[in-house]
Amino acid sequence: MLKDFKPVLSILLRFIIIYLVLLFGYQFYLNGFKGLGLDTFSKIIADQVMFVQNSMSYPTKLYDDIAGESVWFHVKTGYATKMVEGCNAVSVMILFVSFVFAFYKGVKTFVFVLIGLLLLHVMNVLRIAGLNIVFTDHKEYGKIAHDYAFPAVIYGTVVLLWLVWIKFFALKNENS
C-alpha cells in the first residue's frame, strides 16, 4: 500500500526538506542583523522602490529606523509607509523555490526558479511602490490595499508560476 503513495511522499519530503533548509538559512542570515536595523536585502528593495517611485513623479526619500528595524518611505510631503523585513517577499520566494524543486526536472528547474525569482522580485518592488502610492494619494484604501489587494498580487503570481511549472514542465510527458 505504501508503494502507491511513494511518489507523493517523495515529493512531500523533498518540499519539506528544501523548505526547512532555506528557512533556517534565511533565519541565520537575519540573525546577523539583530540590532543593526533592516537587513541588506530589504534595504536594496527599499532603494529600488524609491527609484521606481521617483521615476513615476512620486518624490521619495528613505529614513532608517535602526531601533525599529525598518525603513520609512517619505513620499511627496509625508511618511507613507514603513518597510520591515517581512515586506521583502523572501518567505514567499522560499515557498516558491521549495515547491518547484520538489518536482525537480533537471537544469530547467534552475532556469525556471531563476526566472520565477526575478519575476517575484519585480512584482514585489511594484507591489510596495503601489502601496506607497495608495497610502499617499488614497489613504482611505490603504488598509484594504495592504491587507488584501497587494498580497493577492504577490501570492497570485506564485500560484500562477506553480501552475505553469506543473502544467508545462513537471507533468509534461518527456516523450511527446
Side-chain angles (χ1 to χ4, degrees), residues 18-32 90 94:
I18 293 166
Y19 179 77
L20 290 175
V21 166
L22 292 175
L23 188 67
F24 287 129
Y26 180 56
Q27 190 59 51
F28 180 75
Y29 163 78
L30 289 177
N31 288 343
V90 170
I94 288 172

Side-chain angles (χ1 to χ4, degrees), residues 12 16 26 40 49-51 63 66 71 75 79 123 153 176:
L12 184 60
I16 291 169
Y26 180 56
T40 304
V49 169
M50 180 179 68
F51 174 80
Y63 293 95
I66 304 293
V71 169
V75 184
Y79 291 100
M123 292 299 291
V153 169
S176 56

Side-chain angles (χ1 to χ4, degrees), residues 11 15 33 39 81 100 135-137 141 143 151-152 155 157 162:
I11 289 168
F15 172 82
F33 292 93
D39 66 281
T81 63
V100 172
F135 274 99
T136 299
D137 291 347
Y141 300 114
K143 182 163 177 45
Y155 286 110
T157 303
W162 283 345

Side-chain angles (χ1 to χ4, degrees), residues 2 13 31 47 55 66 69 75 89 94 105 118 130 144 156 167:
L2 199 55
L13 184 61
N31 288 343
D47 287 334
S55 300
I66 304 293
E69 295 184 338
V75 184
I94 288 172
K105 292 293 179 182
L118 180 63
I144 195 164
K167 181 166 175 66

Side-chain angles (χ1 to χ4, degrees), residues 41-167:
F41 184 67
S42 297
K43 285 183 181 180
I44 290 169
I45 292 173
D47 287 334
Q48 292 171 345
V49 169
M50 180 179 68
F51 174 80
V52 168
Q53 290 174 192
N54 285 329
S55 300
M56 296 173 60
S57 299
Y58 281 87
T60 304
K61 293 180 183 169
L62 301 177
Y63 293 95
D64 283 330
D65 178 4
I66 304 293
E69 295 184 338
S70 60
V71 169
W72 285 90
F73 290 96
H74 187 276
V75 184
K76 290 185 177 178
T77 60
Y79 291 100
T81 63
K82 75 174 180 176
M83 182 172 163
V84 296
E85 172 272 322
C87 300
N88 66 18
V90 170
S91 59
V92 175
M93 293 177 186
I94 288 172
L95 270 174
F96 166 73
V97 169
S98 301
F99 180 84
V100 172
F101 272 102
F103 292 89
Y104 183 77
K105 292 293 179 182
V107 173
K108 61 184 166 184
T109 309
F110 290 95
V111 173
F112 189 83
V113 162
L114 287 175
I115 292 169
L117 288 174
L118 180 63
L119 179 63
L120 286 171
H121 177 73
V122 169
M123 292 299 291
N124 191 50
V125 168
L126 295 176
R127 175 186 74 90
I128 296 168
L131 274 171
N132 283 328
I133 291 168
V134 168
F135 274 99
T136 299
D137 291 347
H138 304 285
K139 197 171 191 101
E140 66 274 15
Y141 300 114
K143 182 163 177 45
I144 195 164
H146 179 271
D147 294 351
Y148 303 106
F150 286 100
V153 169
I154 198 77
Y155 286 110
T157 303
V158 169
V159 170
L160 186 63
L161 285 168
W162 283 345
L163 291 173
V164 167
W165 175 249
I166 292 299
K167 181 166 175 66

